[in-house]
Amino acid sequence: MNIHEYQAKELLKSYGVRIQEGVVADSPETALKAAKKLNAETGTSWYVIKAQIHAGGRGKGKVKETGSNGVVLAKKLEEVPEKAKNILGGTLVTIQTGAEGKKVNKILVAEDVYYPGHSEPKEYYLSILLDRAKGCNVIMASTEGGMDIEEVAEKHPEKIIKEWVDPKVGLQGFQARKVAFKLGLEGNAFKEMVKFITALYNAYIGSDASQFEINPVLKTSDDKILAVDAKVNLDDNALFRHQDLAELRDLAEEDPLEVEAGKSDLNYVKLDGNVGCMVNGAGLAMATMDMIKLSGGEPANFLDVGGGANAVTVEAGFRIILQDPNVKAILINVFGGIVRCDRIANGVVEAYKSIENIPVPIIVRLQGTNAEEGAKIIDESGLKVSSAITLKEAAEKVRAAITS
Ligand code: GDP
Ligand code: MN
């Protein structure tokens, strides 16, 4: 689960990670109030207004309606409401949102931390994630902060510092010092970075996160180290242990069909293709998607209805697939193991009858216990549903359906 920057910064702060302070707002008026509060608390007289969407690249991104960037600087208090207005309610398009962009419902009004001083502020990159190949967490750091890290990794792999953490003993002090040293820091900034990395790692473990990306981490002109941006991804499977974090979920940022599928306990992922599919078991679902591709179609979704598929889950799956306007055919591929194929066939027929006007052909492939009986029920139902027993047969029927 992704959370917003302002939520991520609160989480980091609660673990002692220094952050660029900010106050969230949802209107030009509350933005002004937020700026006044920041001025009183931090003394800042410049304000950074940041669109809160679940995507990066906001600084260079543009709001379609107004042309404003997704991150802007206001050098006067009076400029805050106007600049906030140019972002709020607009559609922000960044390299990560796709051309359709994302609607901005909230902004973060933050203190300016790039103020002048005895040295230039400098941006770094820090992330923590699971290295699956090594079976442990890895801290990645770079002096090339504020930039597209994928590009740095490709062109200058030597500029990416990696430190692997042994899960049995956790992050050791020398490891945090090693990263800070390799980043070229010294004096107070070095100490601050060690503290920053240590607190960040504690936050990562404590929140059962699956990815932290802080880009940029800033060394201010007075040698403080703080998080200017924060991308936090939490492990869905551990959210039951963090009720407070689970509540940070923003459904407006998620695909509406995926949200609806979640309510029916369906594992659904929306894709761009033209063949909807409904399968029991994730492995079979992936194999089915391959088969759709081989037959000349493109999967419109991934949908695993789970081991105990029945008429209710099949109907819920149908309804979700049918809401996708790109779907030209639906393929149901179910293995009757625990559930018998004749019962699934009855479920499909029932679900079909309960939904009016299904506009697309449906191909049902049932295999396993009572497969023949299942196929018979489908074929004799008189509905626009055709049955297939083998994968090859199913593929041919899908091909015929999308090319007709
Ligand atoms: P992203 O573009 O979505 O990754 O958003 P970031 O939070 O990383 O912000 C984008 C850029 O805004 C940063 O790289 C900075 O250059 C700039 N920025 C952020 N905070 C401040 C600030 O306090 N003062 C100034 N002058 N610029 C800032
Ligand atoms: Mn960033």
Side-chain angles (χ1 to χ4, degrees), residues 20-23 34-48 73-77 80 109-115:
Q20 172 191 41
E21 295 289 341
V23 179
K36 285 181 179 162
K37 185 160 183 263
L38 274 177
N39 172 265
E41 284 171 3
T42 69
T44 188
S45 53
W46 287 10
Y47 309 90
V48 191
L73 185 66
K75 296 188 180 179
K76 285 197 188 91
L77 195 61
V80 171
V109 182
E111 61 172 333
D112 167 52
V113 284
Y114 288 61
Y115 47 79

Side-chain angles (χ1 to χ4, degrees), residues 20 48 50 57-59 71 111-114 123 215-216 228-229:
Q20 172 191 41
V48 191
K50 313 180 78 177
R58 297 163 299 167
V71 176
E111 61 172 333
D112 167 52
V113 284
Y114 288 61
E123 296 179 325
N215 190 20
V228 167
D229 193 5

Side-chain angles (χ1 to χ4, degrees), residues 6 8 20 66 88 90 180 184 205 226 248 284 297-298 312-313 333 336 374 404:
Y6 74 94
Q20 172 191 41
T66 62
L88 275 167
I205 295 295
L226 49 81
L248 300 180
L284 187 58
E298 286 286 337
V312 178
T313 38
N333 190 10
S404 67

Side-chain angles (χ1 to χ4, degrees), residues 19 110 116 143 152 170 182 191 198 201 245 372 383 389:
I19 57 160
T143 52
V152 178
K182 285 189 183 170
K191 281 190 215 154
T198 309
Y201 195 80
L245 297 177
E372 306 275 343
L383 302 173
I389 298 258

Side-chain angles (χ1 to χ4, degrees), residues 319-331:
R319 288 193 187 279
I320 284 159
I321 294 175
L322 287 170
Q323 282 178 54
D324 179 350
N326 298 329
V327 167
K328 298 273 178 303
I330 298 176
L331 172 62

Side-chain angles (χ1 to χ4, degrees), residues 115-149:
Y115 47 79
H118 72 77
S119 69
E120 281 290 306
K122 160 114 187 78
E123 296 179 325
Y124 299 88
Y125 172 93
L126 257 183
S127 65
I128 308 176
L129 65 156
L130 179 65
D131 183 334
R132 289 173 193 277
K134 288 209 161 64
C136 60
N137 293 321
V138 59
I139 298 174
M140 297 213 282
S142 176
T143 52
E144 309 305 294
M147 303 213 243
D148 181 10
I149 199 68

Side-chain angles (χ1 to χ4, degrees), residues 279-342:
V279 189
N280 65 341
L284 187 58
M286 286 192 282
T288 304
M289 289 159 72
D290 284 347
M291 196 206 81
I292 289 170
K293 264 192 108 95
L294 288 174
S295 68
E298 286 286 337
N301 63 277
F302 168 93
L303 173 55
D304 170 16
V305 292
N310 55 36
V312 178
T313 38
V314 169
E315 185 183 335
F318 258 142
R319 288 193 187 279
I320 284 159
I321 294 175
L322 287 170
Q323 282 178 54
D324 179 350
N326 298 329
V327 167
K328 298 273 178 303
I330 298 176
L331 172 62
I332 301 177
N333 190 10
V334 173
F335 176 74
I338 301 168
V339 203
R340 299 192 323 259
C341 291
D342 53 326

